[in-house]
Amino acid sequence: MRTFIIKANKAHTKADFKLKDLPGTSGRIDLLCRVLNSAFLLSHGFRKNVRVWLSLYGPPNPPKAIRFEGQGMKPKTLNPDELSTAKLIIKALKVGENLREPSKEIQVLPGIYVSNLTFEDIIRRTLKGATLYYLHEEGRPIERVNFSQNVAFVLGDHEGLTPEDEAFLSGIAEKVSIGRKSYLASHVVAYVNIFLDSITPPP
Amino acid sequence: MRTFIIKANKAHTKADFKLKDLPGTSGRIDLLCRVLNSAFLLSHGFRKNVRVWLSLYGPPNPPKAIRFEGQGMKPKTLNPDELSTAKLIIKALKVGENLREPSKEIQVLPGIYVSNLTFEDIIRRTLKGATLYYLHEEGRPIERVNFSQNVAFVLGDHEGLTPEDEAFLSGIAEKVSIGRKSYLASHVVAYVNIFLDSITPPP
Ligand SMILES: C[S@@+](CC[C@H](N)C(=O)[O-])C[C@H]1O[C@@H](n2cnc3c(N)ncnc32)[C@H](O)[C@@H]1O
Ligand SMILES: C[S@@+](CC[C@H](N)C(=O)[O-])C[C@H]1O[C@@H](n2cnc3c(N)ncnc32)[C@H](O)[C@@H]1O
């Protein structure tokens, strides 16, 4: 089982942006769409052993969390193109708009849930069942890590995690690197997935 | 220097499709946008040592070729989101619409060229300066290949190469694999780029 947690500090927490201009109006929801593509999609296939948490902290109602559960999702729900994925996120934000409870999750579609969970809530839940890693340029080279069967990876958005996020993770998540360059989050997720496929047995 | 050549057998050769529904109307130009993203973009950076050839064979005027030259492109020309990249492809198809010469390239924007070059033309040109590989699930594992400083990779679209394409490549391109699963073309390009970065000196 593989979990990817992406903290998107600018991503809008209400569907108040333009589908035609995601980079300019949504706090980079386009980036989250590409991360979902990399996390779940194979050529003519779908990774059921993946979970993705989007942890959104942009205006106007942070935090919002959207959980995508490979086990529960219908494979045809997620398509490769950015716009159709953005529509799923918009749908989740609309369903979650009047939610007040801090920890209740509402189902948006099979396998997709929206809530007001914080980044810290997500990390604490994840730690119960998986070993946590923080993907970072300066971490331990991925080929030297001994992965267990349940792994979870935290990534930042285009601006990376804040010092506060990093302070929270220190001591609970080992830093892991796929190289010394700084890559786009979606490329990192694609690389990690393909790398993990080569391990026997793959997580 | 790294070259990626993608043969898109269904991709429309005229800008007769809808930007709002690329997967349904363009013969999967959306896939080509994601390949360009993976080929060129770094976090806050741009790979100048990359060239991409899109070899389009869909209706109504095949073939069309669009060449993206990292050395010549302005880094701000290519943005991470799919729609802005689709607009570049549309622009190139419009510029190339009335082109009749079989081998003349017209500049669309700095570093971007459109032509009627065939897939075979592109391969022959590429062979003059680089070692050619065909990315394929059943090829030699990438970590066992001894890459030179000028490498070129051929990939298929969502349906893969045709038997005729494969026959043309046999004997001139070694098959290289990044794993036994079949991955999306954009994930393959992201993986290959990050893998090549780890070689000293990187191609
Ligand atoms: C676009 S990068 C963040 C950009 C960078 N931190 C900055 O602010 O310039 C998005 C995320 O991908 C992950 N990442 C990027 N390059 C990486 C690498 N070489 N190894 C591991 N993770 C990486 C990190 O989690 C990072 O926060
Ligand atoms: C979406 S796949 C093609 C799908 C597959 N051939 C089919 O028709 O079902 C797109 C391209 O990515 C490349 N590719 C996919 N998986 C690969 C792997 N494991 N190793 C190397 N290249 C791969 C191949 O060039 C392939 O044509």
Side-chain angles (χ1 to χ4, degrees):
Chain A
M1 177 82 197
R2 311 173 186 180
T3 300
F4 295 99
I5 301 164
I6 172 144
K7 178 129 194 281
N9 287 318
K10 301 286 165 69
H12 283 209
T13 42
K14 188 179 167 183
D16 58 2
F17 46 85
K18 292 207 190 88
L19 200 57
K20 282 208 304 210
D21 183 14
L22 292 172
T25 63
S26 71
R28 301 304 304 280
I29 298 268
D30 59 304
L31 182 158
L32 303 179
C33 297
R34 291 190 296 276
V35 164
L36 287 165
N37 168 306
S38 295
F40 284 111
L41 299 179
L42 293 167
S43 173
H44 312 288
F46 180 80
R47 296 183 184 270
K48 285 208 152 294
N49 65 333
V50 167
R51 172 187 300 135
V52 172
W53 284 97
L54 306 180
S55 177
L56 316 184
Y57 272 80
N61 301 315
K64 288 286 175 203
I66 312 178
R67 173 162 67 98
F68 294 80
E69 204 67 44
Q71 275 296 339
M73 282 163 73
K74 303 229 171 85
K76 297 279 166 225
T77 307
L78 190 72
N79 291 295
D81 68 301
E82 235 166 80
L83 288 192
S84 64
T85 307
K87 286 179 193 161
L88 290 179
I89 295 177
I90 287 173
K91 191 176 168 104
L93 291 176
K94 284 190 175 152
V95 169
E97 196 169 331
N98 295 314
L99 183 63
R100 290 289 162 266
E101 294 91 328
S103 65
K104 185 178 164 191
E105 286 190 294
I106 308 185
Q107 180 170 300
V108 179
L109 284 171
I112 307 182
Y113 306 86
V114 66
S115 67
N116 296 324
L117 288 171
T118 64
F119 177 61
E120 290 77 6
D121 291 333
I122 295 169
I123 297 296
R124 273 188 286 262
R125 273 209 195 194
T126 302
L127 278 173
K128 287 184 188 152
T131 312
L132 193 70
Y133 300 95
Y134 167 28
L135 286 162
H136 191 281
E137 292 82 323
E138 278 143 32
R140 172 136 58 128
I142 192 167
E143 58 281 0
R144 300 220 200 116
V145 180
N146 218 327
F147 290 107
S148 65
Q149 282 304 96
N150 286 303
V151 290
F153 299 91
V154 180
L155 297 97
D157 64 3
H158 58 297
E159 298 183 346
L161 295 192
T162 64
E164 294 73 36
D165 299 331
E166 294 204 329
F168 175 69
L169 290 178
S170 82
I172 57 178
E174 185 184 6
K175 281 190 191 171
V176 170
S177 169
I178 64 163
R180 291 284 169 247
K181 283 189 207 291
S182 181
Y183 297 114
L184 296 185
S186 53
H187 299 179
V188 175
V189 171
Y191 188 93
V192 169
N193 256 334
I194 296 173
F195 179 84
L196 293 177
D197 290 342
S198 73
I199 296 177
T200 30
Chain B
M1 177 82 197
R2 311 174 185 179
T3 300
F4 295 98
I5 301 164
I6 172 145
K7 178 129 195 282
N9 286 318
K10 302 286 167 67
H12 284 209
T13 42
K14 188 179 168 183
D16 58 1
F17 46 86
K18 293 206 190 89
L19 201 57
K20 282 208 307 211
D21 182 14
L22 292 173
T25 63
S26 71
R28 302 305 304 280
I29 298 269
D30 58 304
L31 181 158
L32 303 180
C33 297
R34 292 190 296 276
V35 164
L36 287 165
N37 168 307
S38 295
F40 285 111
L41 299 180
L42 293 167
S43 172
H44 313 287
F46 179 81
R47 295 182 184 271
K48 285 208 151 292
N49 64 334
V50 167
R51 172 188 300 134
V52 172
W53 284 98
L54 307 181
S55 176
L56 317 184
Y57 272 80
N61 302 315
K64 288 285 175 202
I66 312 177
R67 174 163 65 97
F68 295 79
E69 204 66 44
Q71 275 297 339
M73 283 164 72
K74 301 228 172 87
K76 297 280 165 224
T77 307
L78 190 72
N79 290 295
D81 67 301
E82 235 165 80
L83 288 193
S84 64
T85 307
K87 286 179 192 163
L88 289 180
I89 295 177
I90 288 173
K91 191 176 169 102
L93 291 176
K94 285 191 174 153
V95 170
E97 197 168 331
N98 295 316
L99 183 63
R100 291 287 161 268
E101 295 91 330
S103 65
K104 184 179 165 194
E105 287 191 293
I106 308 185
Q107 180 170 299
V108 180
L109 284 171
I112 306 182
Y113 306 86
V114 66
S115 67
N116 295 324
L117 289 172
T118 65
F119 178 61
E120 290 77 7
D121 292 332
I122 296 170
I123 297 295
R124 273 189 286 262
R125 271 209 195 196
T126 301
L127 279 172
K128 286 184 189 153
T131 313
L132 193 70
Y133 300 95
Y134 167 27
L135 286 162
H136 191 281
E137 293 82 323
E138 278 143 31
R140 171 134 58 125
I142 192 166
E143 57 281 359
R144 300 216 200 118
V145 180
N146 218 327
F147 289 107
S148 65
Q149 281 305 96
N150 286 303
V151 290
F153 299 91
V154 180
L155 296 97
D157 65 2
H158 58 298
E159 298 182 347
L161 294 193
T162 64
E164 294 74 36
D165 299 331
E166 295 203 328
F168 174 69
L169 290 179
S170 82
I172 57 177
E174 185 184 8
K175 281 191 192 172
V176 169
S177 168
I178 64 162
R180 290 287 170 244
K181 283 189 206 291
S182 181
Y183 298 113
L184 296 185
S186 53
H187 299 179
V188 175
V189 171
Y191 188 93
V192 169
N193 256 334
I194 297 173
F195 179 85
L196 294 178
D197 290 341
S198 73
I199 296 177
T200 28

